[in-house]
Amino acid sequence: MAENQYITPTKENPVFKAHCSDFGYIEQEYYKSWEIRTKELWLIGNTFSTNLTDAIVRLHEFIKSYEPATSKTKYEIFFFDGNIDKYGNSKEIKVYSITEANARKWKLK
C-alpha cells in the first residue's frame, strides 16, 4: 500500500475497529489501513470505518452473514484516535457491544 493511502487517526478524525470474540479483529472488509509514526514507533492496522454510524451498520451486516456464531459470540466496536500507551500499544475505547443472542433477539439475523 502506498504511503498516501494510510489514514492517520486523530481526535478530530478517529478510526473504528470491529472485533469478534470468536477470532479477533474483523479485517476482511476493512475500509483503509491506518498508521502512526514516531521516532521510536511505527504502528499499522486496519480500519473498519471512519465513523461510528457506518461502523455499526457494517458490523450488523457482518453479524447477519457470520454463520459459525454461537449465542455466546460477542461483537464490539472500538474507537481509536491515535493515542499510544507507554508500552507502544494503541489505546482503544469500546463504544459499542452486542452479543449474538441479542442480535437474534432484536432480529438482526
Side-chain angles (χ1 to χ4, degrees), residues 88-105:
N89 299 314
S90 59
K91 288 185 180 179
E92 302 169 0
I93 300 167
K94 183 170 40 172
V95 293
Y96 182 81
S97 178
I98 186 170
T99 63
E100 179 70 21
N102 281 339
R104 291 176 186 170
K105 178 179 169 183

Side-chain angles (χ1 to χ4, degrees), residues 45-89:
N46 291 323
T47 301
F48 193 69
S49 180
T50 56
N51 68 70
L52 182 57
T53 301
D54 288 346
I56 292 171
V57 169
R58 293 185 72 200
L59 182 61
H60 288 182
E61 289 171 0
F62 174 83
I63 291 170
K64 287 178 188 176
S65 67
Y66 184 60
E67 294 301 324
T70 68
S71 62
K72 294 183 180 184
T73 301
K74 185 176 180 182
Y75 309 94
E76 300 168 314
I77 296 176
F78 293 91
F79 166 94
F80 175 54
D81 65 1
N83 282 320
I84 306 296
D85 67 17
K86 65 181 180 179
Y87 303 107
N89 299 314

